[in-house]
Amino acid sequence: MATIQGFLKNTNTAISSLDGDVNLAIKLTEFELLELNREDQLFKGFDTDGNTIGVYSRLTEELTKGVRGIGFPKNAGEPYNFYDTGDSFKGLKADLLGGFKVALSSTGKNADLIQKRAKGKAYGLTLENKVKYNQQILLPSLRAIIKRHYRI
């Protein structure tokens, strides 16, 4: 049976550890964070505002005719999926900025071109994906981390 004094001590520990706990939760859920940017946005051709970044031309369709694999075919009029070799997706990373802020970027060979095409809005989450990440992914992870302070 826990005492009120023990509970208060654990609460103080949890509060003083909050910054580190949030950063740990972000690191533990980094893959899911990057997947939202990669699979739910870039691969579908959306920027961080949810707008279509661009569409493939007839020339692109002709040049890629017969190519098979992830991201193909590239049909005229369909949104860019930014998948050719996959280098830009493999290079996605999340950097903690402090104040619980995270910056997404890519070290892939076409990352600068993609960012330019998206007018600086390629890497990051749409509002919908921010809510999804915070509520469905980050919050459960953070709760589990905080819970260890209470030995429950």
Side-chain angles (χ1 to χ4, degrees):
M1 179 185 286
T3 65
I4 291 175
Q5 184 178 8
F7 181 78
L8 288 174
K9 181 181 175 195
N10 291 342
T11 300
N12 285 333
T13 301
I15 290 169
S16 66
S17 301
L18 188 59
D19 286 355
D21 289 348
V22 170
N23 288 337
L24 176 60
I26 291 169
K27 286 315 256 179
L28 291 173
T29 59
E30 181 178 11
F31 177 79
E32 291 88 348
L33 173 64
L34 296 176
E35 278 294 290
L36 284 172
N37 189 222
R38 179 180 15 250
E39 298 295 326
D40 202 45
Q41 290 175 210
L42 290 174
F43 200 65
K44 294 178 180 178
F46 299 126
D47 66 12
T48 58
D49 290 334
N51 298 318
T52 300
I53 296 170
V55 296
Y56 290 115
S57 67
R58 285 255 177 247
L59 178 60
T60 301
E61 182 175 353
E62 289 300 316
L63 290 173
T64 61
K65 194 172 271 187
V67 177
R68 297 289 174 249
I70 298 173
F72 293 95
K74 297 183 182 298
N75 298 317
E78 290 182 356
Y80 295 145
N81 62 33
F82 299 105
Y83 201 97
D84 185 25
T85 64
D87 286 340
S88 296
F89 290 154
K90 293 173 194 166
L92 274 176
K93 62 181 189 151
D95 294 311
L96 295 170
L97 302 177
F100 310 133
K101 292 188 179 185
V102 178
L104 301 185
S105 61
S106 177
T107 58
K109 70 176 183 175
N110 294 322
D112 291 340
L113 179 63
I114 292 171
Q115 191 69 316
K116 183 178 178 183
R117 179 73 68 166
K119 298 181 177 102
K121 296 180 178 183
Y123 306 112
L125 298 181
T126 61
L127 179 59
E128 179 181 331
N129 278 337
K130 285 178 185 176
V131 170
K132 182 177 183 176
Y133 173 73
N134 288 331
Q135 297 295 319
Q136 297 175 17
I137 299 167
L138 183 62
L139 186 58
S141 178
L142 183 58
R143 283 182 177 146
I145 291 167
I146 291 172
K147 195 174 186 180
R148 32 169 228 184
H149 296 297
Y150 294 94
R151 295 166 186 80
I152 298 173

